[in-house]
């Protein structure tokens, strides 16, 4: 590493993310809405990658590959989520969460939305940070190639899945219907599957770096979040209660990894 050590980089990235979250929290108070934080969830990884690349001196094929993957994935997703927030309004999940608050809403959202997401973002971005800690000039090897390929697959699934869902929801004829076309025919969550592929791809790149194996906590946390916590599990519970035909979709469609539909 050229200018600062790994642990210094991790500390600086943490402070940058917490600073960004505090600023966003202050913006959310007069808005009365925290939903826009989701777009920073994606943009925050770009912030981490760009900041870490800059303070470590830049350069190196491995660093550049990780920066490129993160920038393409994060920028596209951040813009899409911001557009969706402006188009659809406040996210129902956050509205329901805030409605249950007994005390100070700003204090609750500071702790349970902004600071929590900032800390999770820091953990999930561990592969990016480890890659940026690689010595300048670290060449690309088979792991980096495999990681880049897996990340590209992930970007494809997420981009196409989001586009297909946006088109489906924009057609009034589809109101109340279950989206089971395109990539959504083969996985109930092509966008979440794409996210996981991107970060497991970044993890493969991080394995080139000394100690990079320990960055596995990043993709593990993300995958658990997408599958078991605030992603697929929460969404499917809500849709099973509110959308006719969704139970049948659950029965025939792969939950996460794309596969051919079952005959039910």
């Amino acid at each position: 590493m050229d200018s600062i050590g790994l642990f210094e980089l991790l500390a600086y990235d943490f402070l940058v993310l917490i600073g960004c979250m505090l600023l966003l929290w202050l913006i959310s108070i007069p808005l009365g809405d925290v939903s826009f934080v989701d777009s920073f969830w994606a943009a925050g990884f770009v912030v981490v990658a760009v900041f870490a690349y800059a303070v470590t001196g830049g350069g190196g094929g491995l660093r550049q590959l990780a920066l490129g993957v993160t920038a393409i994935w994060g920028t596209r997703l951040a813009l899409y989520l911001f557009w969706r927030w402006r188009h659809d309004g406040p996210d129902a999940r956050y509205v329901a969460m805030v409605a249950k608050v007994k005390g100070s809403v700003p204090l609750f959202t500071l702790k349970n939305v902004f600071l929590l997401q900032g800390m999770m973002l820091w953990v999930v971005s561990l592969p990016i940070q480890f890659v940026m800690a690689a010595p300048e000039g670290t060449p690309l090897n088979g792991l980096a190639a495999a990681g880049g390929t897996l990340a590209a697959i992930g970007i494809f699934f997420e981009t196409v899945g989001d586009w297909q869902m946006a088109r489906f929801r924009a057609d009034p004829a589809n109101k109340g219907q279950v989206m089971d076309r395109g990539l959504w025919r083969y996985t109930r969550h092509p966008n979440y599957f794409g996210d996981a592929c991107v970060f497991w791809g970044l993890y493969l790149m991080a394995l080139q770096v000394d100690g990079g194996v320990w960055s596995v906590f990043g993709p593990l946390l993300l995958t658990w979040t997408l599958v078991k916590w605030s992603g697929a599990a929460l969404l499917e519970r809500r849709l099973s209660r509110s959308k006719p035909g969704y139970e049948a979709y659950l029965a025939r469609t792969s939950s996460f990894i794309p596969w051919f539909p079952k005959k039910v």
Side-chain angles (χ1 to χ4, degrees):
M1 195 164 178
D2 304 307
S3 53
I4 62 174
L6 171 62
F7 292 106
E8 291 177 283
L9 177 62
L10 292 171
Y12 288 149
D13 284 332
F14 182 81
L15 292 174
V16 167
L17 287 174
I18 295 301
C20 290
M21 286 300 183
L22 288 173
L23 177 60
L24 293 174
W25 171 67
L26 292 173
I27 294 172
S28 75
I29 295 174
L31 287 178
D33 181 18
V34 301
S35 304
F36 65 89
V37 73
D38 284 349
S39 63
F40 185 78
W41 171 259
F45 293 102
V46 182
V47 171
V48 168
V50 171
F51 176 79
Y53 185 81
V55 299
T56 55
L62 184 63
R63 293 183 190 174
Q64 291 170 351
L65 176 61
L67 177 64
V69 165
T70 306
I72 293 170
W73 168 82
T75 302
R76 194 231 43 112
L77 181 57
L79 291 174
Y80 171 72
L81 292 175
F82 187 81
W83 167 82
R84 194 173 70 180
W85 170 62
R86 296 296 297 164
H87 183 267
D88 296 344
D91 190 309
R93 296 171 302 166
Y94 291 117
V95 173
M97 179 192 299
V98 170
K100 298 176 183 178
V101 176
K102 301 296 184 181
S104 169
V105 170
L107 184 59
F108 175 87
T109 58
L110 172 63
K111 294 187 296 182
N112 295 281
V113 177
F114 292 96
L115 293 182
L116 177 61
Q117 288 204 26
M119 290 185 285
M120 292 180 65
L121 202 160
W122 180 80
V123 175
V124 174
S125 67
L126 284 175
I128 302 169
Q129 300 183 70
F130 271 80
V131 168
M132 294 307 168
E136 184 178 1
T138 300
L140 300 175
N141 63 12
L143 281 172
T149 301
L150 183 58
I153 292 172
I155 292 171
F156 168 80
F157 264 85
E158 186 171 56
T159 302
V160 174
D162 283 343
W163 174 72
Q164 289 174 339
M165 179 59 79
R167 289 192 64 191
F168 178 84
R169 294 179 64 192
D171 187 347
N174 294 325
K175 187 175 182 179
Q177 301 298 310
V178 176
M179 170 52 159
D180 60 353
R181 309 168 191 173
L183 296 180
W184 299 83
R185 172 178 169 81
Y186 303 100
T187 168
R188 303 200 293 263
H189 306 283
N191 48 350
Y192 294 159
F193 172 74
D195 274 342
C197 286
V198 168
F199 279 86
W200 283 108
L202 289 166
Y203 175 66
L204 290 178
M205 299 178 204
L207 290 178
Q208 280 196 238
V209 183
D210 290 341
V213 65
W214 296 107
S215 68
V216 70
F217 295 106
L220 281 177
L221 175 60
L222 178 69
T223 305
W224 174 78
T225 300
L226 293 173
V227 176
K228 296 295 184 181
W229 187 37
S230 63
L234 181 64
L235 179 63
E236 289 180 357
R237 284 196 298 270
R238 178 169 61 84
L239 292 177
S240 294
R241 294 192 300 265
S242 63
K243 183 162 290 191
Y246 196 76
E247 290 286 354
Y249 176 66
L250 293 179
R252 67 177 180 266
T253 310
S254 174
S255 61
F256 196 70
I257 298 174
W259 195 246
F260 296 100
K262 297 176 185 177
K263 293 183 179 179
V264 180

